[in-house]
Amino acid sequence: MRMSDLIMKKRDGGVLTDEEIRWMIDGYTKGDIPDYQMSAMCMAIFFAGMDMDETYALTMAMLDSGERIDLSGIQGVKADKHSTGGVGDKTSLLLCPMVAACGVKMAKLSGRGLGHTGGTIDKLESFAGFSVEMTDEQFIRQVNQVGFAIAGQTADICPADKKLYALRDVTGTVASLPLIVSSILCKKLAVGADVIVLDVKCGSGAFMQTEEAAMGLANALVEVGRRAGKKVVAVVTDMDEPLGATVGNAIEVHEALATLRGEYRGELMELCLALGTQILRESGVAADDETARAMLEKAVESGAALERFAAFVKAQGGDSAAVYDKSLLPLAPVRKDVLADRAGYVKHIQAEDVGLVSMHLGGGRAAKGDDIDPGVGVALYKKVGDAVAAGERLGTVFARTEQAADQAAGMLLDCYEIVPEKVERAPYVKGVVK
Ligand code: URA
């Protein structure tokens, strides 16, 4: 087989066979196929697409490029959740303890943030001493004892995806449906949960900007996941503004804890209930959506989810006292309010730019390996649809210096679009594909 022939076949709209796809992924992972040929293939796929058989074959070939995690030591049903990425997305911090408190185990591998999106691990490291380094045995023991664990990726899973994703990132080929589907699913399949719930973001802050494109991605993810023998559900949700009321690290943990305590009830809890409902029903612990939702609500109201979260922080070496005492979370001391420069209604908050405000304050990484400051970030008091008076607070920036605070405050104001006419907020959950 020759890579140049496969590139031309795909360029001309041909369908690659399972054997061709396996040969290509194997050769690329080993370094036999150079980046320039794989770049051309990615661009050909970007324009010509792939059918479901090809997408499935690509997913399985990428899965087989590396190790799989053996979760057979975990008792009961194991669930996993993945989000296609968003600003202010702290969902795992709430969803894992809520679901665990209802009797379904969550075994999650997470990553660090890069650019405008934050990573779950960075947020959790706001707890002094918290660690995501653990052996497979420790991971499994903790999931059995506490109900969930969140670890960094240690095993060499899906090396093909690592190489390919880095290549796509610099060749304008990230936003290709078959490449996204295979990239997400190969990693989820390598972890090996029985139930996989996917949060597919839709809007200006997401890969998929329209509802139609997001539903297309959701359908493809569910179909390929099912073919691989998993129970997969995709929930399409809004990303036309940051998720929830905060963007940063410790400040997002603070919001997650306040939401688990029942102090806030916004779209963050709505999203966790929507995702959690799918997990409990697909896992078989709830007969229907209504029962699942009631179980999750009870886990929050009773304090059981918060207790699980504290047990999880302690099990991973973190200071669990900070779960109950927010003064122990490292919030930056210089605070500057951002005031509305006109009256009206919030039409849009540019999610990506809010992520960049947090990054400029030091809360995110420009390059892999950069240190981050857990204490900086932003709080947003006004969200899409809210009425605003001139001079009213839109948000607050948390910074280390006055100069950084002034600059970030100006940037945050620019993220807001305020219009004179009333704005109807679209439903947060746009659809469920199962
Ligand atoms: N997340 C991934 O892991 N891969 C993609 O291609 C897109 C989002």
Side-chain angles (χ1 to χ4, degrees):
M1 247 181 258
R2 288 195 321 179
M3 186 63 180
S4 52
D5 293 335
L6 300 192
I7 295 168
M8 285 188 280
K9 183 174 179 186
K10 183 42 75 186
R11 180 198 66 191
D12 298 338
V15 175
L16 300 176
T17 65
D18 188 273
E19 196 193 353
E20 287 167 338
I21 289 171
R22 279 200 174 262
W23 175 85
M24 171 177 85
I25 292 300
D26 190 44
Y28 183 58
T29 311
K30 286 186 185 141
D32 297 342
I33 293 172
D35 277 348
Y36 57 81
Q37 284 192 309
M38 201 63 200
S39 306
M41 176 58 86
C42 287
M43 194 56 87
I45 295 171
F46 184 93
F47 283 112
M50 276 184 148
D51 67 18
M52 273 308 155
D53 290 341
E54 290 175 291
T55 309
Y56 174 71
L58 182 60
T59 307
M60 300 313 278
M62 301 221 296
L63 168 65
D64 291 339
S65 72
E67 294 171 25
R68 297 178 194 216
I69 305 204
D70 178 9
L71 296 184
S72 59
I74 297 176
Q75 296 130 24
V77 184
K78 303 159 274 282
D80 198 357
K81 165 252 165 191
H82 179 80
S83 150
T84 57
V87 175
D89 193 347
K90 69 268 310 161
T91 314
S92 296
L93 305 186
L94 296 90
L95 182 68
C96 291
M98 284 165 66
V99 165
C102 295
V104 176
K105 307 272 172 39
M106 295 282 285
K108 263 197 79 56
L109 297 187
S110 269
R112 295 181 191 279
L114 186 62
H116 67 278
T117 51
T120 300
I121 292 179
D122 296 320
K123 292 168 201 182
L124 286 167
E125 284 176 349
S126 304
F127 291 100
F130 187 90
S131 168
V132 291
E133 309 277 318
M134 59 181 101
T135 62
D136 287 0
E137 293 72 40
Q138 287 169 321
F139 182 66
I140 287 169
R141 193 176 333 119
Q142 184 181 320
V143 176
N144 278 328
Q145 285 171 356
V146 179
F148 74 105
I150 299 180
Q153 205 166 293
T154 48
D156 194 13
I157 64 169
C158 308
D161 178 63
K162 238 172 257 162
K163 261 187 106 171
L164 203 53
Y165 196 67
L167 187 71
R168 288 165 56 209
D169 205 24
V170 293
T171 54
T173 51
V174 167
S176 150
L177 194 138
L179 295 179
I180 295 176
V181 169
S182 51
S183 167
I184 291 175
L185 281 182
C186 69
K187 289 172 287 198
K188 292 287 117 185
L189 295 174
V191 176
D194 312 300
V195 174
I196 301 168
V197 171
L198 301 159
D199 177 11
V200 177
K201 304 289 190 192
C202 159
S204 63
F207 289 123
M208 298 296 163
Q209 311 243 317
T210 65
E211 205 167 318
E212 199 188 346
M215 287 303 278
L217 177 58
N219 276 305
L221 285 163
V222 170
E223 161 119 31
V224 173
R226 289 266 163 95
R227 284 199 196 190
K230 299 294 176 185
K231 292 182 174 175
V232 183
V233 180
V235 181
V236 176
T237 63
D238 181 75
M239 197 17 90
D240 253 341
E241 62 177 341
L243 175 58
T246 60
V247 178
N249 292 291
I251 197 167
E252 288 196 37
V253 171
H254 176 231
E255 182 189 0
L257 292 172
T259 308
L260 275 182
R261 279 195 292 268
E263 291 164 19
Y264 288 139
R265 186 72 204 220
E267 79 263 12
L268 177 60
M269 181 50 84
E270 199 189 318
L271 173 60
C272 292
L273 290 170
L275 298 171
T277 294
Q278 301 306 320
I279 293 176
L280 297 197
R281 200 204 52 246
E282 289 292 322
S283 301
V285 304
D288 52 41
D289 288 6
E290 229 173 56
T291 313
R293 203 177 163 94
M295 286 170 75
L296 292 159
E297 299 254 21
K298 189 154 173 257
V300 174
E301 277 161 25
S302 66
L306 192 68
E307 268 172 43
R308 288 283 171 149
F309 190 78
F312 151 77
V313 171
K314 189 162 177 226
Q316 295 197 207
D319 177 12
S320 59
V323 171
Y324 300 102
D325 178 358
K326 69 180 179 193
S327 72
L328 297 173
L329 287 171
L331 286 179
V334 181
R335 306 193 179 167
K336 188 169 174 74
D337 289 337
V338 176
L339 308 179
D341 54 359
R342 73 198 70 180
Y345 297 86
V346 178
K347 181 165 184 208
H348 181 66
I349 306 171
Q350 187 61 41
E352 194 174 332
D353 290 349
V354 178
L356 290 175
V357 175
S358 172
M359 191 179 118
H360 282 299
L361 283 165
R365 295 184 180 81
K368 249 183 174 172
D370 285 355
D371 281 336
I372 59 153
D373 181 340
V376 298
V378 306
L380 306 167
Y381 310 123
K382 295 289 180 183
K383 300 291 303 277
V384 170
D386 287 346
V388 184
E392 199 178 351
R393 272 194 326 168
L394 296 172
T396 301
V397 299
F398 291 68
R400 289 289 162 198
T401 65
E402 292 290 343
Q403 195 193 1
D406 283 344
Q407 200 189 8
M411 287 170 75
L412 186 59
L413 183 60
D414 289 343
C415 297
Y416 272 85
E417 185 184 352
I418 297 172
V419 296
E421 59 280 1
K422 211 167 179 340
V423 174
E424 283 303 326
R425 209 194 177 297
Y428 184 72
V429 175
K430 296 183 177 300
V432 177
V433 179
K434 44 187 169 188

